[in-house]
Amino acid sequence: MNAKSDTPCRYFIKGNCREGEECQYSHDTQNIEKVNLIRDDKGKLNLKKNNDFQFERRNVRERGRGRGIQDREQDDELEKDYQKKDNSQRIESQQQKNQNDQKGEKRFGEQQERNEDKRRKQRFDKNLNEQENKNKYGVQGEINNVNSERLEKYQENNNEDDQKQYRQRGRGRGRGRGGDRENTFKRREFIQDEEKERGDQIKQKGDGFNKIKKVKVNEIQVKKRIQVLNLEQKKNIDNLIQIVGYNFQFLGILKSNSIDFYQIPFKRNGILIVDDEKKVTISHLDKQFICAFIQEHKNDECSLMIQFQKNDESFKNLLIFNNVFHQQIPQIIFDISMKDIVYTNLEDGLLYTFCKDGLIRIFQQNEIGQFKYIQHYNLEQSIENVIKVGSNYLIGVRTNQLYLFNGTIITEIPYKFNKKCTQMIIDLDRVILKMDEDISTSIYVLSQKLEIIGPIYEGEKVICLEIIKSYESDKLFIFGLSNSVEIYTEIENKLYPINVILNQKFIQMKKIEITNENMVTQKFIVGEYDGELKIFSVVPEQ
């Protein structure tokens, strides 16, 4: 027999097997007579033993009258149709899978690009506008910085989680749909290569975007600020020593033995900014004035300390007005130091004096208004510059170091400069440091975390410096150089020149900001050289 298998041939049972002896199923008539194929109520074929083979064969043909005779050709056609449908379904399923994978990759790539663009924009906005979004020098700025860092870390973690989940989904689909291990690994490597390439493209695109944006920002600033300062007034002042500063609508001008306070109203057309008819003078003809310190207090009072010496002595003394616009008779502290007093601060009845001899001398005011020495601290090196920042004093010394003094403890800032600090300016929550040597200047930023940023400028020696925020968003650095006044704008911790006034020289500058009842602000720069006072208005952007 032909039997390769004991299983009866169903076509032989029906009488239409064309394979003959080549058929791999059994054509044993003994087995066939014992086995019959019948359909149950649900149309499913079942095996049933029966000796009447001829009857069953005839019965099968008779059952086919209503639907046509089932011969071998019809069964082959049905089999082919089934295979075609099965193949078509498998192809459609595979195509759907590929489309879903492509859509998933596309969505993932788009999400990656959106996240990258968002992070890039946040970093750029943060670097460009961080000074406008912070409140005061202190803890709040630190909290904002910490929150910003946490936000960036959170976004980076989210991106890593998205990438991990995407890869896990890809692997799960491959295993669940019967893909072989080799194809799964190839697919995984292909996805990883695509992700790496896409990441490189995004990075290159981001770098190019940042460069283009920086260039555009610089171009916009230069175009918009063709004119920054507009000369409003000139005035010659004899024996001018110092532009003390602007407080409570008064500009203080210190001369050799007097100080003039000019009341400056909100400017309208035809009104002089500095007018002798609106001037208050405090004179002490027997004293030689050296410098002055004016200080505002929370109770709307303004204190004034004038350093002076007598003509026949070298000791430095202080003339103190607790409330300069209401006090007629000042208090005097004699013989404070043989060298200059660099800085003073009067607060809660305590007067701190920082002297070039390296001593910090503290005086206390008694009930009758007299100041008595109570304590001192010694830095053991010359003090060059001091400024009050929050509750601390920032001190620059001749050895190019910076120190912090909180009233009881002196702490060194661990950064070694190569120049001496000659000027400090508080700018919201940071301090601008001007570091000088004989022919050059470097400008640094000291953050509220005591981090040194910069230099943001390094070049020709800057004689004097002022900072003023323009009417919109840019921050203007105004330099007095050897034979010019130059204006710079700050972008991402770098200064870019935007305007130059040639043949102009200042040895000191002060800014004035006046706000009227409608909260409109006028901004001025007052500069002085050789007794000539010049007042420039800061031109709003057009």
Side-chain angles (χ1 to χ4, degrees):
M1 296 298 291
N2 66 319
K4 296 180 183 179
S5 171
D6 293 334
T7 305
C9 176
R10 66 172 180 171
Y11 298 108
F12 186 76
I13 295 173
K14 297 177 183 180
N16 58 357
C17 179
R18 294 183 178 182
E19 299 295 331
E21 296 295 331
E22 299 297 327
C23 183
Q24 60 180 341
Y25 299 103
S26 175
H27 289 184
D28 187 355
T29 56
Q30 294 180 358
N31 292 335
I32 293 174
E33 291 177 356
K34 297 179 181 179
V35 178
N36 183 23
L37 290 175
I38 66 171
R39 294 183 180 271
D40 57 14
D41 296 338
K42 296 181 180 180
K44 184 178 179 181
L45 289 173
N46 295 316
L47 295 176
K48 179 180 179 182
K49 291 183 179 181
N50 195 332
N51 292 327
D52 190 358
F53 171 71
Q54 297 296 332
F55 173 79
E56 186 63 31
R57 181 176 178 184
R58 186 173 58 255
N59 192 25
V60 170
R61 290 182 181 272
E62 289 175 356
R63 285 201 305 269
R65 289 177 183 176
R67 54 182 178 82
I69 300 175
Q70 294 183 353
D71 56 7
R72 181 63 178 265
E73 292 180 356
Q74 289 175 330
D75 290 336
D76 289 343
E77 292 296 330
L78 290 174
E79 187 71 20
K80 290 179 181 179
D81 290 340
Y82 171 76
Q83 290 178 354
K84 287 181 181 179
K85 291 181 181 180
D86 187 48
N87 291 336
S88 175
Q89 290 177 354
R90 284 199 298 271
I91 291 172
E92 290 179 359
S93 177
Q94 184 63 31
Q95 289 177 348
Q96 184 66 30
K97 175 181 177 296
N98 294 338
Q99 291 177 359
N100 292 336
D101 290 345
Q102 291 175 359
K103 289 180 181 179
E105 292 174 13
K106 183 178 180 181
R107 285 196 298 269
F108 179 76
E110 291 174 351
Q111 182 63 33
Q112 289 286 84
E113 291 181 1
R114 286 195 295 270
N115 292 340
E116 183 66 21
D117 291 340
K118 185 177 180 181
R119 289 197 303 274
R120 244 188 349 261
K121 184 177 184 301
Q122 287 175 344
R123 286 196 298 269
F124 181 81
D125 293 341
K126 177 184 174 184
N127 291 331
L128 190 60
N129 299 320
E130 63 178 354
Q131 305 307 327
E132 298 180 12
N133 297 331
K134 296 180 181 178
N135 298 325
K136 294 182 179 180
Y137 189 95
V139 177
Q140 184 60 41
E142 242 177 79
I143 294 174
N144 293 339
N145 289 337
V146 171
N147 289 338
S148 178
E149 292 174 1
R150 286 179 179 171
L151 177 60
E152 291 184 359
K153 291 181 180 178
Y154 174 77
Q155 291 173 341
E156 291 174 358
N157 292 336
N158 278 349
N159 293 334
E160 292 177 0
D161 292 341
D162 291 342
Q163 188 174 357
K164 188 183 297 183
Q165 291 175 5
Y166 175 76
R167 291 174 178 172
Q168 290 174 352
R169 287 198 301 269
R171 290 194 295 268
R173 285 196 299 267
R175 288 193 298 268
R177 298 190 180 185
D180 58 4
R181 181 172 295 275
E182 182 179 358
N183 290 336
T184 300
F185 280 116
K186 287 182 179 179
R187 179 66 179 168
R188 188 184 310 164
E189 292 173 359
F190 174 74
I191 293 174
Q192 290 175 350
D193 292 340
E194 277 194 340
E195 290 173 355
K196 183 178 179 181
E197 183 179 356
R198 188 182 296 111
D200 294 339
Q201 291 175 356
I202 292 173
K203 183 178 180 182
Q204 292 174 1
K205 180 180 177 182
D207 293 341
F209 174 80
N210 286 336
K211 290 179 181 178
I212 292 172
K213 195 166 186 178
K214 290 178 186 177
V215 171
K216 287 184 177 179
V217 169
N218 293 341
E219 290 177 352
I220 290 171
Q221 298 297 339
V222 172
K223 290 179 181 178
K224 289 175 64 175
R225 306 316 308 269
I226 295 176
Q227 185 180 9
V228 178
L229 299 180
N230 184 35
L231 181 61
E232 298 286 345
Q233 186 180 355
K234 296 181 182 180
K235 184 175 180 60
N236 289 319
I237 299 178
D238 296 332
N239 303 318
L240 190 152
I241 296 176
Q242 179 191 1
I243 304 173
V244 180
Y246 177 78
N247 298 81
F248 295 109
Q249 296 185 347
F250 285 91
L251 175 65
I253 303 294
L254 184 69
K255 298 190 289 187
S256 58
N257 51 25
S258 67
I259 183 169
D260 296 332
F261 287 97
Y262 291 90
Q263 185 176 5
I264 302 179
F266 193 85
K267 186 180 183 302
R268 297 173 178 84
N269 292 335
I271 298 177
L272 294 175
I273 297 175
V274 174
D275 190 352
D276 287 335
E277 294 183 359
K278 298 180 180 180
K279 179 179 69 173
V280 176
T281 300
I282 299 174
S283 300
H284 287 264
L285 301 179
D286 59 334
K287 299 176 178 61
Q288 180 182 345
F289 290 168
I290 300 172
C291 66
F293 310 93
I294 190 168
Q295 181 182 351
E296 291 185 14
H297 299 283
K298 296 179 180 179
N299 55 2
D300 292 336
E301 294 181 354
C302 186
S303 61
L304 172 69
M305 280 75 71
I306 301 175
Q307 181 183 180
F308 71 94
Q309 65 183 23
K310 294 182 179 180
N311 295 330
D312 55 347
E313 295 181 357
S314 60
F315 281 100
K316 306 303 185 291
N317 316 286
L318 278 180
L319 192 70
I320 304 170
F321 294 86
N322 288 33
N323 190 352
V324 63
F325 299 120
H326 296 87
Q327 184 179 357
Q328 300 297 324
I329 301 175
Q331 300 293 325
I332 299 178
I333 303 177
F334 289 105
D335 306 336
I336 294 177
S337 175
M338 293 287 290
K339 296 187 177 182
D340 287 344
I341 301 170
V342 178
Y343 180 81
T344 66
N345 185 75
L346 178 60
E347 192 171 359
D348 297 330
L350 291 178
L351 175 66
Y352 289 80
T353 61
F354 297 79
C355 306
K356 276 204 170 185
D357 60 7
L359 291 180
I360 305 171
R361 297 176 175 88
I362 304 174
F363 300 85
Q364 187 173 31
Q365 189 175 23
N366 59 23
E367 295 179 356
I368 62 175
Q370 294 178 342
F371 288 89
K372 298 294 183 180
Y373 164 81
I374 58 172
Q375 194 175 1
H376 77 271
Y377 296 85
N378 192 358
L379 268 76
E380 298 181 351
Q381 49 188 316
S382 176
I383 297 175
E384 299 295 325
N385 209 319
V386 182
I387 196 170
K388 181 79 178 295
V389 184
S391 59
N392 294 295
Y393 298 92
L394 183 62
I395 307 170
V397 299
R398 181 165 293 180
T399 58
N400 305 336
Q401 286 297 121
L402 293 179
Y403 292 88
L404 277 179
F405 176 59
N406 63 2
T408 57
I409 300 173
I410 299 174
T411 306
E412 180 179 351
I413 294 178
Y415 189 93
K416 182 66 176 179
F417 295 93
N418 57 4
K419 296 180 177 70
K420 181 174 62 176
C421 184
T422 59
Q423 189 176 357
M424 302 177 181
I425 298 179
I426 296 177
D427 180 31
L428 293 180
D429 58 351
R430 61 182 190 166
V431 179
I432 306 300
L433 307 172
K434 185 168 80 74
M435 317 294 292
D436 288 331
E437 57 182 11
D438 293 338
I439 60 173
S440 65
T441 293
S442 299
I443 296 178
Y444 294 85
V445 174
L446 176 66
S447 71
Q448 62 183 14
K449 295 182 179 180
L450 302 182
E451 297 173 345
I452 303 296
I453 302 171
I456 63 174
Y457 167 88
E458 196 163 24
E460 181 184 350
K461 185 173 182 179
V462 178
I463 300 172
C464 55
L465 163 69
E466 249 314 336
I467 305 174
I468 188 167
K469 187 178 180 300
S470 69
Y471 287 86
E472 288 188 355
S473 61
D474 54 344
K475 192 179 295 295
L476 304 180
F477 284 66
I478 302 174
F479 291 170
L481 301 174
S482 59
N483 196 33
S484 64
V485 173
E486 297 187 4
I487 296 94
Y488 291 73
T489 185
E490 182 184 9
I491 302 175
E492 295 184 347
N493 295 323
K494 285 292 182 182
L495 298 185
Y496 298 88
I498 59 173
N499 190 254
V500 177
I501 304 175
L502 295 174
N503 302 318
Q504 190 71 256
K505 186 175 182 179
F506 289 153
I507 60 173
Q508 57 176 320
M509 282 191 294
K510 290 289 182 181
K511 67 180 176 182
I512 298 176
E513 294 188 359
I514 306 172
T515 302
N516 68 358
E517 63 276 7
N518 298 325
M519 300 307 295
V520 178
T521 302
Q522 289 182 330
K523 303 181 180 186
F524 300 92
I525 291 294
V526 182
E528 181 268 330
Y529 176 70
D530 197 20
E532 183 181 49
L533 198 71
K534 292 184 179 180
I535 302 177
F536 293 84
S537 61
V538 179
V539 180
E541 292 86 344
Q542 300 299 326

